[in-house]
Amino acid sequence: MKRFFWLLRLASLNLLRNSKRNLITGIALASSFSGILLFTGYVVWVEKYLRANTVFVNQSGHLLISRPNGLEDQLTKPRTALLKKDEQEKIEAMLKGDADVLAVGKGLQSMMMIIKDCRSRGVIAIGRDEGIDRLSLGQPDVLKWDYELLKPEQIPVLAKFRQVSPKEAAVFPSPILQKFIDRKTSSKQAGCEESANGSLQLLGRTTTGEVAATDGRALGTQSTGLAILDERVIYMPVKDLQTFIETDSVGYYTVYVKSLLALPSVWKRLHEDVKASGLDLQIQPFFSENVGLYYIGSVGFLGTIAAFFVLLVSSVVGLSLFSLFSMSVTERSMEIGLLAALGFPAKIVIWLFEIEAVLLCLLSLGTGLLVAIGLGDLIFKQNIRFSPPGIAGDTHFTIAWEPWVMVVIGLTFLLVSYVSIRIVTVLKLKRSALSLLQDAGTL
Amino acid sequence: MSDLAIEATDVWKSYKLGDTKVDALRGLSLQLKYGELAALVGASGSGKSTLLNLLGALDKPDRGSIAINNRQVEAMSDEELGQLRNRKIGFIFQAFHLIPVLKTRENVALPLQLFDELSSKDRKMRVESALEKVGLLDFADSMPTRLSGGQRQRVAIARALVTEPDLILADEPTANLDSKTAHAIIDLLEELNSKQKASFLISSHDEKLIGRVKRVLRIQDGTIV
């Protein structure tokens, strides 16, 4: 330990000795690191935003239980695709008492037309579980990353609406569909009288194929957060949708776990229980293509790019450090020779240079980290609005920090630095102490 | 056990200079007793430095044998050679070879970093004793860049002494110094030799300085003449 501190001191002094060159290298390292952190911070934000969006805002849950292909078939073959009452009871019994499960929700989807005065539009109605909405409003991930998407004021509005208008269906269209509803009707069109604000009619089919129609009222907008869905989605309370299509069945169950770490075990237990029960069910996580296509597509794509950039930049950093330390070690050939002549084993000399490289790298990484966090904070405070591809409307440009991602990137940089200096010094120390002593140097 | 600090027998050493093979040492034999001080004199290219490098266990002979402290150098592993250099041999280089970022006392203490058995207090005592011997105790906390050439060589001598070696090898220790300082360094080496048990072998081509040393070994064309 005493020798380590001695080497640490000597390494620190040597770093100061070539202060200009080391400063420039340090700045290059720090700026590369902070650049990579900011980029991966954006990718991390996308992941967190889309995860909270998929799991809570769009109520797909961490796990989604349906019949095989039930998620798609419920729109076209509701009679066979929906989960009947007895099946619902069995599923609820399986999940009851599971300590890792935070909540269980129900979902249902149906195709319908919304009619406003003389205009109509085909939409997918997604039945929302009100309990999950209330739960979502208390979820840290939702509050932190998707706070612009959930609207807590809609819960009391819905409750009040139920008391005064029990025969109307409550509807929460996306902002795009709300514009369709709000559009003024041309008075020249025969028979088209303008109806009251927010009132509309819903036209669809029951699960038995009968025509279903009812009055509805738009109580507020609810975005899916995704551009492709906002074009054609309205949300309704799942009970209202069940009443409309005249069923007590649901399309799927959603399971919310207390911690993502518990997800694999809950998934496994559920799979075993379903198998034991003999039910023909499919359990899909939020990151499967059927459930979270946009999540898995975007995160997979951006994650691959981020990993590529991390490797690219760390390789460039490694080569730069290799070049820097090659020069530094060559300049100090006589010093290395002296240490060898005084009997220092090669490993101690290698340690000295490794400690120098690691020290320079750690100082640079620390600086890069502070710069990245400062810039991330500054970017957040600027309240920059932007429209990322696929996201509905615009959103607040945010950089998110994930400690393990930062640690992995930092360790990659550190490993590259370590390997660079190791190669340089080991190659140098293949020469004899005598030839090193006779080498031209700076001593 | 013999009373010889160095025993070199029929030592041959050659090296390549471009495509030409140069025989630096040709069957050289030499003996140096414990406590003895000898000067190694020869013209430039006569093989002085090659011999000192072999005696200092920095290199191995092509042929022949070298025993330092009764141990055959050519049979030793790199690790053993390192230990021998650290514990038994003190080097004084022509170019001083001080580490510029370390203070005088830290430069002197450099070889003691491998003396795990010494406490910090003992190390400090050894360093101060070595610096006192060379008259630089007052400069213990100075940086080498603040010292004159003569003072730097004294630091190098203190570094060679600090491990209390059996053999001190000085390769042209006065070559980079002015005449007055060079005389002072030789005086110091003589004085240290009389006080220490160590053997001293000093290479030089300065005849005036050599004239002051009792035993002179003249080397010419790779052999002692």
PDB file of all heavy atoms in Angstrom, chain A residues 143-174:
ATOM      1  N   LEU A 143     -44.490  10.532 -13.554  1.00  0.00           N
ATOM      2  CA  LEU A 143     -44.429  11.944 -13.138  1.00  0.00           C
ATOM      3  C   LEU A 143     -43.159  12.611 -13.659  1.00  0.00           C
ATOM      4  O   LEU A 143     -43.145  13.797 -13.963  1.00  0.00           O
ATOM      5  CB  LEU A 143     -44.474  12.046 -11.614  1.00  0.00           C
ATOM      6  CG  LEU A 143     -45.771  11.531 -10.978  1.00  0.00           C
ATOM      7  CD1 LEU A 143     -45.659  11.537  -9.463  1.00  0.00           C
ATOM      8  CD2 LEU A 143     -46.959  12.384 -11.423  1.00  0.00           C
ATOM      9  N   LYS A 144     -42.091  11.807 -13.743  1.00  0.00           N
ATOM     10  CA  LYS A 144     -40.818  12.390 -14.152  1.00  0.00           C
ATOM     11  C   LYS A 144     -40.676  12.499 -15.671  1.00  0.00           C
ATOM     12  O   LYS A 144     -40.158  13.492 -16.178  1.00  0.00           O
ATOM     13  CB  LYS A 144     -39.677  11.535 -13.584  1.00  0.00           C
ATOM     14  CG  LYS A 144     -38.356  12.265 -13.563  1.00  0.00           C
ATOM     15  CD  LYS A 144     -37.372  11.601 -12.646  1.00  0.00           C
ATOM     16  CE  LYS A 144     -36.090  12.422 -12.599  1.00  0.00           C
ATOM     17  NZ  LYS A 144     -35.048  11.745 -11.855  1.00  0.00           N
ATOM     18  N   TRP A 145     -41.119  11.483 -16.378  1.00  0.00           N
ATOM     19  CA  TRP A 145     -40.826  11.441 -17.808  1.00  0.00           C
ATOM     20  C   TRP A 145     -42.030  11.717 -18.702  1.00  0.00           C
ATOM     21  O   TRP A 145     -41.876  12.200 -19.808  1.00  0.00           O
ATOM     22  CB  TRP A 145     -40.211  10.079 -18.192  1.00  0.00           C
ATOM     23  CG  TRP A 145     -39.089   9.678 -17.289  1.00  0.00           C
ATOM     24  CD1 TRP A 145     -39.055   8.633 -16.427  1.00  0.00           C
ATOM     25  CD2 TRP A 145     -37.844  10.365 -17.114  1.00  0.00           C
ATOM     26  NE1 TRP A 145     -37.879   8.601 -15.734  1.00  0.00           N
ATOM     27  CE2 TRP A 145     -37.104   9.663 -16.131  1.00  0.00           C
ATOM     28  CE3 TRP A 145     -37.267  11.508 -17.672  1.00  0.00           C
ATOM     29  CZ2 TRP A 145     -35.845  10.047 -15.714  1.00  0.00           C
ATOM     30  CZ3 TRP A 145     -36.008  11.896 -17.262  1.00  0.00           C
ATOM     31  CH2 TRP A 145     -35.320  11.169 -16.296  1.00  0.00           C
ATOM     32  N   ASP A 146     -43.220  11.345 -18.261  1.00  0.00           N
ATOM     33  CA  ASP A 146     -44.400  11.498 -19.126  1.00  0.00           C
ATOM     34  C   ASP A 146     -45.426  12.435 -18.507  1.00  0.00           C
ATOM     35  O   ASP A 146     -46.628  12.286 -18.718  1.00  0.00           O
ATOM     36  CB  ASP A 146     -45.043  10.116 -19.383  1.00  0.00           C
ATOM     37  CG  ASP A 146     -44.201   9.266 -20.315  1.00  0.00           C
ATOM     38  OD1 ASP A 146     -42.966   9.332 -20.194  1.00  0.00           O
ATOM     39  OD2 ASP A 146     -44.753   8.548 -21.157  1.00  0.00           O
ATOM     40  N   TYR A 147     -44.934  13.389 -17.729  1.00  0.00           N
ATOM     41  CA  TYR A 147     -45.842  14.245 -16.968  1.00  0.00           C
ATOM     42  C   TYR A 147     -46.740  15.094 -17.866  1.00  0.00           C
ATOM     43  O   TYR A 147     -47.773  15.586 -17.438  1.00  0.00           O
ATOM     44  CB  TYR A 147     -45.059  15.157 -16.007  1.00  0.00           C
ATOM     45  CG  TYR A 147     -44.009  15.990 -16.678  1.00  0.00           C
ATOM     46  CD1 TYR A 147     -44.285  17.264 -17.156  1.00  0.00           C
ATOM     47  CD2 TYR A 147     -42.712  15.496 -16.853  1.00  0.00           C
ATOM     48  CE1 TYR A 147     -43.321  18.020 -17.789  1.00  0.00           C
ATOM     49  CE2 TYR A 147     -41.742  16.241 -17.494  1.00  0.00           C
ATOM     50  CZ  TYR A 147     -42.054  17.498 -17.964  1.00  0.00           C
ATOM     51  OH  TYR A 147     -41.098  18.241 -18.593  1.00  0.00           O
ATOM     52  N   GLU A 148     -46.332  15.250 -19.132  1.00  0.00           N
ATOM     53  CA  GLU A 148     -47.152  16.067 -20.035  1.00  0.00           C
ATOM     54  C   GLU A 148     -48.312  15.267 -20.632  1.00  0.00           C
ATOM     55  O   GLU A 148     -49.183  15.823 -21.283  1.00  0.00           O
ATOM     56  CB  GLU A 148     -46.289  16.623 -21.166  1.00  0.00           C
ATOM     57  CG  GLU A 148     -45.263  17.622 -20.664  1.00  0.00           C
ATOM     58  CD  GLU A 148     -44.488  18.264 -21.797  1.00  0.00           C
ATOM     59  OE1 GLU A 148     -44.424  17.678 -22.879  1.00  0.00           O
ATOM     60  OE2 GLU A 148     -43.944  19.352 -21.574  1.00  0.00           O
ATOM     61  N   LEU A 149     -48.290  13.952 -20.444  1.00  0.00           N
ATOM     62  CA  LEU A 149     -49.285  13.110 -21.116  1.00  0.00           C
ATOM     63  C   LEU A 149     -50.490  12.759 -20.242  1.00  0.00           C
ATOM     64  O   LEU A 149     -51.589  12.590 -20.733  1.00  0.00           O
ATOM     65  CB  LEU A 149     -48.628  11.823 -21.611  1.00  0.00           C
ATOM     66  CG  LEU A 149     -47.579  12.010 -22.709  1.00  0.00           C
ATOM     67  CD1 LEU A 149     -46.909  10.696 -23.034  1.00  0.00           C
ATOM     68  CD2 LEU A 149     -48.213  12.601 -23.965  1.00  0.00           C
ATOM     69  N   LEU A 150     -50.257  12.626 -18.937  1.00  0.00           N
ATOM     70  CA  LEU A 150     -51.374  12.257 -18.065  1.00  0.00           C
ATOM     71  C   LEU A 150     -51.960  13.519 -17.444  1.00  0.00           C
ATOM     72  O   LEU A 150     -51.245  14.409 -17.005  1.00  0.00           O
ATOM     73  CB  LEU A 150     -50.911  11.307 -16.969  1.00  0.00           C
ATOM     74  CG  LEU A 150     -50.862   9.834 -17.366  1.00  0.00           C
ATOM     75  CD1 LEU A 150     -50.552   8.987 -16.158  1.00  0.00           C
ATOM     76  CD2 LEU A 150     -52.171   9.358 -17.988  1.00  0.00           C
ATOM     77  N   LYS A 151     -53.294  13.537 -17.395  1.00  0.00           N
ATOM     78  CA  LYS A 151     -53.942  14.748 -16.900  1.00  0.00           C
ATOM     79  C   LYS A 151     -54.791  14.417 -15.668  1.00  0.00           C
ATOM     80  O   LYS A 151     -55.890  13.868 -15.784  1.00  0.00           O
ATOM     81  CB  LYS A 151     -54.810  15.353 -18.005  1.00  0.00           C
ATOM     82  CG  LYS A 151     -53.920  15.828 -19.150  1.00  0.00           C
ATOM     83  CD  LYS A 151     -54.693  16.362 -20.289  1.00  0.00           C
ATOM     84  CE  LYS A 151     -53.720  16.871 -21.357  1.00  0.00           C
ATOM     85  NZ  LYS A 151     -54.373  17.178 -22.591  1.00  0.00           N
ATOM     86  N   PRO A 152     -54.274  14.713 -14.500  1.00  0.00           N
ATOM     87  CA  PRO A 152     -54.979  14.334 -13.280  1.00  0.00           C
ATOM     88  C   PRO A 152     -56.368  14.963 -13.162  1.00  0.00           C
ATOM     89  O   PRO A 152     -57.268  14.380 -12.558  1.00  0.00           O
ATOM     90  CB  PRO A 152     -54.070  14.831 -12.148  1.00  0.00           C
ATOM     91  CG  PRO A 152     -53.028  15.652 -12.785  1.00  0.00           C
ATOM     92  CD  PRO A 152     -52.995  15.369 -14.236  1.00  0.00           C
ATOM     93  N   GLU A 153     -56.580  16.117 -13.777  1.00  0.00           N
ATOM     94  CA  GLU A 153     -57.878  16.797 -13.647  1.00  0.00           C
ATOM     95  C   GLU A 153     -59.007  16.016 -14.332  1.00  0.00           C
ATOM     96  O   GLU A 153     -60.187  16.263 -14.084  1.00  0.00           O
ATOM     97  CB  GLU A 153     -57.804  18.224 -14.202  1.00  0.00           C
ATOM     98  CG  GLU A 153     -57.587  18.358 -15.700  1.00  0.00           C
ATOM     99  CD  GLU A 153     -56.114  18.315 -16.102  1.00  0.00           C
ATOM    100  OE1 GLU A 153     -55.290  17.929 -15.260  1.00  0.00           O
ATOM    101  OE2 GLU A 153     -55.802  18.645 -17.255  1.00  0.00           O
ATOM    102  N   GLN A 154     -58.648  15.063 -15.202  1.00  0.00           N
ATOM    103  CA  GLN A 154     -59.697  14.319 -15.917  1.00  0.00           C
ATOM    104  C   GLN A 154     -60.431  13.329 -15.013  1.00  0.00           C
ATOM    105  O   GLN A 154     -61.569  12.951 -15.294  1.00  0.00           O
ATOM    106  CB  GLN A 154     -59.088  13.607 -17.118  1.00  0.00           C
ATOM    107  CG  GLN A 154     -58.669  14.608 -18.191  1.00  0.00           C
ATOM    108  CD  GLN A 154     -58.115  13.963 -19.436  1.00  0.00           C
ATOM    109  OE1 GLN A 154     -57.933  12.771 -19.479  1.00  0.00           O
ATOM    110  NE2 GLN A 154     -57.868  14.770 -20.438  1.00  0.00           N
ATOM    111  N   ILE A 155     -59.780  12.899 -13.936  1.00  0.00           N
ATOM    112  CA  ILE A 155     -60.426  11.909 -13.051  1.00  0.00           C
ATOM    113  C   ILE A 155     -61.656  12.518 -12.352  1.00  0.00           C
ATOM    114  O   ILE A 155     -62.753  11.953 -12.440  1.00  0.00           O
ATOM    115  CB  ILE A 155     -59.391  11.311 -12.076  1.00  0.00           C
ATOM    116  CG1 ILE A 155     -58.461  10.403 -12.908  1.00  0.00           C
ATOM    117  CG2 ILE A 155     -60.061  10.534 -10.956  1.00  0.00           C
ATOM    118  CD1 ILE A 155     -57.304   9.820 -12.154  1.00  0.00           C
ATOM    119  N   PRO A 156     -61.529  13.697 -11.683  1.00  0.00           N
ATOM    120  CA  PRO A 156     -62.752  14.289 -11.098  1.00  0.00           C
ATOM    121  C   PRO A 156     -63.781  14.695 -12.152  1.00  0.00           C
ATOM    122  O   PRO A 156     -64.989  14.601 -11.917  1.00  0.00           O
ATOM    123  CB  PRO A 156     -62.243  15.502 -10.320  1.00  0.00           C
ATOM    124  CG  PRO A 156     -60.850  15.736 -10.757  1.00  0.00           C
ATOM    125  CD  PRO A 156     -60.331  14.446 -11.281  1.00  0.00           C
ATOM    126  N   VAL A 157     -63.302  15.108 -13.324  1.00  0.00           N
ATOM    127  CA  VAL A 157     -64.242  15.488 -14.403  1.00  0.00           C
ATOM    128  C   VAL A 157     -65.087  14.276 -14.784  1.00  0.00           C
ATOM    129  O   VAL A 157     -66.308  14.359 -14.934  1.00  0.00           O
ATOM    130  CB  VAL A 157     -63.477  16.035 -15.634  1.00  0.00           C
ATOM    131  CG1 VAL A 157     -64.397  16.140 -16.852  1.00  0.00           C
ATOM    132  CG2 VAL A 157     -62.875  17.400 -15.319  1.00  0.00           C
ATOM    133  N   LEU A 158     -64.446  13.138 -14.899  1.00  0.00           N
ATOM    134  CA  LEU A 158     -65.145  11.900 -15.269  1.00  0.00           C
ATOM    135  C   LEU A 158     -66.162  11.512 -14.188  1.00  0.00           C
ATOM    136  O   LEU A 158     -67.303  11.144 -14.481  1.00  0.00           O
ATOM    137  CB  LEU A 158     -64.132  10.774 -15.481  1.00  0.00           C
ATOM    138  CG  LEU A 158     -64.687   9.413 -15.877  1.00  0.00           C
ATOM    139  CD1 LEU A 158     -65.383   9.473 -17.222  1.00  0.00           C
ATOM    140  CD2 LEU A 158     -63.580   8.359 -15.922  1.00  0.00           C
ATOM    141  N   ALA A 159     -65.743  11.616 -12.922  1.00  0.00           N
ATOM    142  CA  ALA A 159     -66.628  11.246 -11.810  1.00  0.00           C
ATOM    143  C   ALA A 159     -67.874  12.143 -11.787  1.00  0.00           C
ATOM    144  O   ALA A 159     -69.003  11.670 -11.627  1.00  0.00           O
ATOM    145  CB  ALA A 159     -65.863  11.359 -10.495  1.00  0.00           C
ATOM    146  N   LYS A 160     -67.680  13.417 -11.995  1.00  0.00           N
ATOM    147  CA  LYS A 160     -68.790  14.370 -11.986  1.00  0.00           C
ATOM    148  C   LYS A 160     -69.730  14.102 -13.169  1.00  0.00           C
ATOM    149  O   LYS A 160     -70.963  14.119 -13.041  1.00  0.00           O
ATOM    150  CB  LYS A 160     -68.219  15.801 -12.081  1.00  0.00           C
ATOM    151  CG  LYS A 160     -69.209  16.885 -11.716  1.00  0.00           C
ATOM    152  CD  LYS A 160     -68.505  18.229 -11.750  1.00  0.00           C
ATOM    153  CE  LYS A 160     -69.522  19.347 -11.624  1.00  0.00           C
ATOM    154  NZ  LYS A 160     -68.930  20.645 -11.850  1.00  0.00           N
ATOM    155  N   PHE A 161     -69.119  13.790 -14.317  1.00  0.00           N
ATOM    156  CA  PHE A 161     -69.879  13.519 -15.538  1.00  0.00           C
ATOM    157  C   PHE A 161     -70.799  12.301 -15.334  1.00  0.00           C
ATOM    158  O   PHE A 161     -71.946  12.278 -15.733  1.00  0.00           O
ATOM    159  CB  PHE A 161     -68.902  13.280 -16.696  1.00  0.00           C
ATOM    160  CG  PHE A 161     -69.543  12.785 -17.951  1.00  0.00           C
ATOM    161  CD1 PHE A 161     -70.289  13.651 -18.745  1.00  0.00           C
ATOM    162  CD2 PHE A 161     -69.423  11.455 -18.345  1.00  0.00           C
ATOM    163  CE1 PHE A 161     -70.874  13.177 -19.912  1.00  0.00           C
ATOM    164  CE2 PHE A 161     -70.016  10.996 -19.500  1.00  0.00           C
ATOM    165  CZ  PHE A 161     -70.750  11.865 -20.285  1.00  0.00           C
ATOM    166  N   ARG A 162     -70.252  11.278 -14.688  1.00  0.00           N
ATOM    167  CA  ARG A 162     -71.022  10.053 -14.441  1.00  0.00           C
ATOM    168  C   ARG A 162     -72.303  10.347 -13.648  1.00  0.00           C
ATOM    169  O   ARG A 162     -73.327   9.736 -13.862  1.00  0.00           O
ATOM    170  CB  ARG A 162     -70.161   9.068 -13.647  1.00  0.00           C
ATOM    171  CG  ARG A 162     -69.129   8.362 -14.492  1.00  0.00           C
ATOM    172  CD  ARG A 162     -69.595   6.927 -14.773  1.00  0.00           C
ATOM    173  NE  ARG A 162     -68.870   6.359 -15.900  1.00  0.00           N
ATOM    174  CZ  ARG A 162     -67.607   5.927 -15.807  1.00  0.00           C
ATOM    175  NH1 ARG A 162     -66.985   5.975 -14.657  1.00  0.00           N
ATOM    176  NH2 ARG A 162     -67.022   5.440 -16.862  1.00  0.00           N
ATOM    177  N   GLN A 163     -72.177  11.280 -12.697  1.00  0.00           N
ATOM    178  CA  GLN A 163     -73.330  11.585 -11.823  1.00  0.00           C
ATOM    179  C   GLN A 163     -74.470  12.252 -12.606  1.00  0.00           C
ATOM    180  O   GLN A 163     -75.633  11.982 -12.377  1.00  0.00           O
ATOM    181  CB  GLN A 163     -72.899  12.521 -10.688  1.00  0.00           C
ATOM    182  CG  GLN A 163     -72.033  11.829  -9.656  1.00  0.00           C
ATOM    183  CD  GLN A 163     -71.391  12.820  -8.709  1.00  0.00           C
ATOM    184  OE1 GLN A 163     -71.710  14.003  -8.702  1.00  0.00           O
ATOM    185  NE2 GLN A 163     -70.467  12.321  -7.911  1.00  0.00           N
ATOM    186  N   VAL A 164     -74.111  13.121 -13.565  1.00  0.00           N
ATOM    187  CA  VAL A 164     -75.149  13.896 -14.254  1.00  0.00           C
ATOM    188  C   VAL A 164     -75.562  13.300 -15.600  1.00  0.00           C
ATOM    189  O   VAL A 164     -76.655  13.541 -16.082  1.00  0.00           O
ATOM    190  CB  VAL A 164     -74.725  15.378 -14.445  1.00  0.00           C
ATOM    191  CG1 VAL A 164     -74.576  16.064 -13.111  1.00  0.00           C
ATOM    192  CG2 VAL A 164     -73.438  15.466 -15.258  1.00  0.00           C
ATOM    193  N   SER A 165     -74.687  12.518 -16.242  1.00  0.00           N
ATOM    194  CA  SER A 165     -75.000  11.991 -17.580  1.00  0.00           C
ATOM    195  C   SER A 165     -74.733  10.495 -17.648  1.00  0.00           C
ATOM    196  O   SER A 165     -73.834  10.061 -18.376  1.00  0.00           O
ATOM    197  CB  SER A 165     -74.153  12.700 -18.634  1.00  0.00           C
ATOM    198  OG  SER A 165     -74.225  14.073 -18.478  1.00  0.00           O
ATOM    199  N   PRO A 166     -75.477   9.706 -16.924  1.00  0.00           N
ATOM    200  CA  PRO A 166     -75.170   8.268 -16.893  1.00  0.00           C
ATOM    201  C   PRO A 166     -75.400   7.575 -18.226  1.00  0.00           C
ATOM    202  O   PRO A 166     -74.872   6.488 -18.458  1.00  0.00           O
ATOM    203  CB  PRO A 166     -76.121   7.735 -15.827  1.00  0.00           C
ATOM    204  CG  PRO A 166     -77.188   8.757 -15.681  1.00  0.00           C
ATOM    205  CD  PRO A 166     -76.634  10.069 -16.097  1.00  0.00           C
ATOM    206  N   LYS A 167     -76.172   8.161 -19.132  1.00  0.00           N
ATOM    207  CA  LYS A 167     -76.474   7.458 -20.393  1.00  0.00           C
ATOM    208  C   LYS A 167     -75.505   7.812 -21.521  1.00  0.00           C
ATOM    209  O   LYS A 167     -75.528   7.189 -22.583  1.00  0.00           O
ATOM    210  CB  LYS A 167     -77.898   7.772 -20.820  1.00  0.00           C
ATOM    211  CG  LYS A 167     -78.907   7.024 -19.958  1.00  0.00           C
ATOM    212  CD  LYS A 167     -80.309   7.261 -20.425  1.00  0.00           C
ATOM    213  CE  LYS A 167     -81.271   6.515 -19.504  1.00  0.00           C
ATOM    214  NZ  LYS A 167     -82.658   6.889 -19.800  1.00  0.00           N
ATOM    215  N   GLU A 168     -74.693   8.790 -21.327  1.00  0.00           N
ATOM    216  CA  GLU A 168     -73.712   9.156 -22.363  1.00  0.00           C
ATOM    217  C   GLU A 168     -72.387   8.451 -22.072  1.00  0.00           C
ATOM    218  O   GLU A 168     -72.031   8.242 -20.911  1.00  0.00           O
ATOM    219  CB  GLU A 168     -73.470  10.674 -22.357  1.00  0.00           C
ATOM    220  CG  GLU A 168     -74.530  11.465 -23.091  1.00  0.00           C
ATOM    221  CD  GLU A 168     -74.174  12.936 -23.105  1.00  0.00           C
ATOM    222  OE1 GLU A 168     -73.939  13.495 -22.020  1.00  0.00           O
ATOM    223  OE2 GLU A 168     -74.122  13.502 -24.203  1.00  0.00           O
ATOM    224  N   ALA A 169     -71.676   8.092 -23.166  1.00  0.00           N
ATOM    225  CA  ALA A 169     -70.359   7.470 -22.994  1.00  0.00           C
ATOM    226  C   ALA A 169     -69.305   8.577 -22.892  1.00  0.00           C
ATOM    227  O   ALA A 169     -69.344   9.541 -23.653  1.00  0.00           O
ATOM    228  CB  ALA A 169     -70.052   6.569 -24.178  1.00  0.00           C
ATOM    229  N   ALA A 170     -68.416   8.397 -21.939  1.00  0.00           N
ATOM    230  CA  ALA A 170     -67.330   9.380 -21.789  1.00  0.00           C
ATOM    231  C   ALA A 170     -66.215   9.038 -22.770  1.00  0.00           C
ATOM    232  O   ALA A 170     -65.836   7.869 -22.928  1.00  0.00           O
ATOM    233  CB  ALA A 170     -66.795   9.337 -20.372  1.00  0.00           C
ATOM    234  N   VAL A 171     -65.731  10.050 -23.434  1.00  0.00           N
ATOM    235  CA  VAL A 171     -64.694   9.839 -24.458  1.00  0.00           C
ATOM    236  C   VAL A 171     -63.545  10.819 -24.219  1.00  0.00           C
ATOM    237  O   VAL A 171     -63.778  11.975 -23.878  1.00  0.00           O
ATOM    238  CB  VAL A 171     -65.300  10.073 -25.868  1.00  0.00           C
ATOM    239  CG1 VAL A 171     -64.222  10.057 -26.929  1.00  0.00           C
ATOM    240  CG2 VAL A 171     -66.334   9.009 -26.179  1.00  0.00           C
ATOM    241  N   PHE A 172     -62.333  10.311 -24.398  1.00  0.00           N
ATOM    242  CA  PHE A 172     -61.153  11.184 -24.323  1.00  0.00           C
ATOM    243  C   PHE A 172     -60.387  11.028 -25.641  1.00  0.00           C
ATOM    244  O   PHE A 172     -59.577  10.110 -25.786  1.00  0.00           O
ATOM    245  CB  PHE A 172     -60.268  10.793 -23.134  1.00  0.00           C
ATOM    246  CG  PHE A 172     -60.936  11.013 -21.812  1.00  0.00           C
ATOM    247  CD1 PHE A 172     -61.644   9.987 -21.195  1.00  0.00           C
ATOM    248  CD2 PHE A 172     -60.887  12.254 -21.193  1.00  0.00           C
ATOM    249  CE1 PHE A 172     -62.264  10.185 -19.982  1.00  0.00           C
ATOM    250  CE2 PHE A 172     -61.518  12.451 -19.976  1.00  0.00           C
ATOM    251  CZ  PHE A 172     -62.224  11.415 -19.370  1.00  0.00           C
ATOM    252  N   PRO A 173     -60.683  11.878 -26.617  1.00  0.00           N
ATOM    253  CA  PRO A 173     -59.998  11.739 -27.903  1.00  0.00           C
ATOM    254  C   PRO A 173     -58.562  12.256 -27.827  1.00  0.00           C
ATOM    255  O   PRO A 173     -58.223  13.026 -26.928  1.00  0.00           O
ATOM    256  CB  PRO A 173     -60.822  12.609 -28.838  1.00  0.00           C
ATOM    257  CG  PRO A 173     -61.504  13.594 -27.964  1.00  0.00           C
ATOM    258  CD  PRO A 173     -61.641  12.990 -26.592  1.00  0.00           C
ATOM    259  N   SER A 174     -57.797  11.842 -28.801  1.00  0.00           N
ATOM    260  CA  SER A 174     -56.439  12.393 -28.903  1.00  0.00           C
ATOM    261  C   SER A 174     -56.565  13.848 -29.366  1.00  0.00           C
ATOM    262  O   SER A 174     -57.604  14.236 -29.915  1.00  0.00           O
ATOM    263  CB  SER A 174     -55.634  11.591 -29.929  1.00  0.00           C
ATOM    264  OG  SER A 174     -56.177  11.815 -31.202  1.00  0.00           O
TER     265      SER A 174
END
